[in-house]
Amino acid sequence: YTRGTVTAFSPFDARADAEALRKAMKGMGTDEETVLKILTSRNNAQRQEIASAFKTLFGRDLVDDLKGELTGKFETLMVSLMRPAYIFDAHALKHAIKGAGTNEKVLTEILASRTPAEVQKIKQVYLQEYEANLEDKITGETSGHFQRMLVVLLQANRDPDVGVDESLVEQDAQVLFRAGELKWGTDEEKFITILGTRSISHLRRVFDKYMTISGFQIEETIDRETSGDLEKLLLAVVKCIRSVPAYFAETLYYSMKGAGTDDDTLIRVMVSRSEIDLVDIRREFRKNFAKSLYQMIQKDMSGDYRKALLLLCGGDDE
């Protein structure tokens, strides 16, 4: 991944950073500026080294100190930056299925957008961190076709991208057409199997072929033929197959649009994509919403939280 806004900081000195952070949080009042400047400009691997140096030098846990000294959304953002990537995803999923009510939005966003290799890693980390099987936890909290699609995605067995067989493209497009538009009711299983297991390049061709056969975009059919959590999940999968950065640009836009901000989503996307493709997400944002991500954050947020998000954003595309 080279399309992130956060890259390895050079020259890097973990001990010096640890000392600067300790000084910023010691005594009365906290120097938030120093904290946010250091944590948003080092990559995750470097932040782990800083945490380790912090413990060695002061016998204190950096994350505990951040939680003790900072508050609100700014605290959530700084603590999120300290989590290693796969632990970050595993933690988000654990909280999405914990306690009363399930946060389907989080399950949808993470499982629709991660690569099969990333999903395998998240499952491993989940088992190590929480001594529980992620698939068991998710099936215990979800049901119906929504649950089945999540289980297919959790298998992380999408076909590898090796050439496209045009006859299979035609066949899949016809199957989807018959399972939806041509049928009284919908055969959701067909959508789940095809969208959950075929390769990305194959599915992009299937969507084109589907449009030719039916006169509809696949999204329009999903919209008409399914509803609720399954509809949202299938649409997220289709959007990610078309373009992961475009999917996240849209997710960020709607997290800030209208009254009130969905800060959990905003933080989750900004942190999880900052070292992967946030540059591409910014470009899609500018293209699709006629304003830059930077400007929207600037307008919607305030204080240290805004400063930190703008530094993660890494530039204005106006």
Side-chain angles (χ1 to χ4, degrees):
Y1 294 128
T2 52
R3 306 293 297 160
T5 52
V6 176
T7 51
F9 184 82
S10 177
F12 173 62
D13 180 343
R15 285 179 75 100
D17 284 347
E19 281 163 359
L21 286 169
R22 176 73 183 124
K23 190 173 161 209
M25 293 189 282
K26 199 171 151 188
M28 288 295 288
T30 305
D31 170 8
E32 285 91 352
E33 190 82 18
T34 297
V35 174
L36 71 89
K37 284 211 164 119
I38 292 175
L39 297 186
T40 58
S41 61
R42 312 301 189 259
N43 71 9
N44 200 287
Q46 291 175 327
R47 288 180 212 126
Q48 303 316 315
E49 285 185 55
I50 296 168
S52 168
F54 196 88
K55 194 161 264 185
T56 302
L57 293 170
F58 311 112
R60 301 175 68 91
D61 185 288
L62 176 54
V63 172
D64 288 346
D65 277 13
L66 290 169
K67 286 177 177 171
E69 295 293 327
L70 309 176
T71 56
K73 295 174 289 198
F74 179 58
E75 177 202 332
T76 307
L77 178 58
M78 293 299 107
V79 169
S80 296
L81 285 170
M82 291 306 302
R83 285 202 177 95
Y86 295 111
I87 291 182
F88 183 75
D89 279 348
H91 180 265
L93 290 168
K94 179 170 172 59
H95 281 266
I97 46 185
K98 188 175 122 186
T102 304
N103 189 336
E104 290 83 4
K105 188 177 189 173
V106 175
L107 300 182
T108 293
E109 179 198 301
I110 293 178
L111 295 175
S113 64
R114 304 304 190 253
T115 65
E118 286 166 344
V119 172
Q120 293 290 12
K121 190 79 174 124
I122 292 165
K123 289 197 296 189
Q124 278 170 356
V125 169
Y126 196 94
L127 193 59
Q128 284 160 6
E129 291 289 306
Y130 306 116
E131 296 178 349
N133 178 300
L134 177 58
E135 188 182 318
D136 292 347
K137 288 290 177 194
I138 286 177
T139 50
E141 297 294 330
T142 55
S143 61
H145 290 108
F146 176 63
Q147 179 200 71
R148 286 180 211 162
M149 184 66 187
L150 289 173
V151 170
V152 168
L153 294 172
L154 280 165
Q155 302 318 300
N157 278 334
R158 195 175 282 293
D159 298 336
D161 262 317
V162 284
V164 173
D165 173 352
E166 287 300 331
S167 62
L168 187 59
V169 166
E170 171 84 35
Q171 190 184 318
D172 279 352
Q174 292 285 0
V175 167
L176 289 173
F177 186 42
R178 287 198 297 273
E181 298 290 348
L182 284 185
K183 191 174 176 8
W184 181 253
T186 310
D187 184 351
E188 291 90 353
E189 300 272 315
K190 299 280 194 289
F191 281 85
I192 289 169
T193 303
I194 292 173
L195 293 176
T197 61
R198 302 288 196 252
S199 77
I200 302 294
S201 46
H202 172 84
L203 283 168
R204 285 177 183 157
R205 291 285 303 116
V206 170
F207 298 162
D208 292 343
K209 180 63 77 178
Y210 185 85
M211 178 75 193
T212 313
I213 293 169
S214 69
F216 299 114
Q217 293 287 10
I218 189 80
E219 291 91 335
E220 296 173 78
T221 295
I222 290 170
D223 196 28
R224 263 200 305 276
E225 297 287 331
T226 60
S227 61
D229 295 323
L230 176 68
E231 179 192 346
K232 292 188 186 108
L233 179 55
L234 292 176
L235 285 174
V237 169
V238 168
K239 285 170 185 171
C240 289
I241 285 158
R242 290 194 189 276
S243 163
V244 170
Y247 169 71
F248 279 117
E250 186 181 309
T251 304
L252 285 170
Y253 179 74
Y254 287 106
S255 76
M256 292 181 278
K257 188 183 183 292
T261 301
D262 176 356
D263 292 291
D264 287 345
T265 298
L266 179 60
I267 291 170
R268 197 172 51 249
V269 176
M270 293 295 286
V271 171
S272 66
R273 308 315 287 185
S274 60
E275 290 181 44
I276 298 177
D277 54 2
L278 195 48
V279 173
D280 296 328
I281 293 168
R282 271 172 32 192
R283 200 177 59 218
E284 291 290 336
F285 196 98
R286 180 72 191 83
K287 188 173 89 189
N288 297 332
F289 303 109
K291 62 176 82 167
S292 71
L293 176 59
Y294 192 91
Q295 286 186 332
M296 199 153 177
I297 291 170
Q298 203 161 29
K299 192 172 109 278
D300 271 43
M301 313 300 146
S302 61
D304 295 314
Y305 179 51
R306 172 168 70 183
K307 280 183 199 162
L309 284 171
L310 290 175
L311 285 170
L312 279 182
C313 182
D316 194 348
D317 302 296
E318 273 311 304

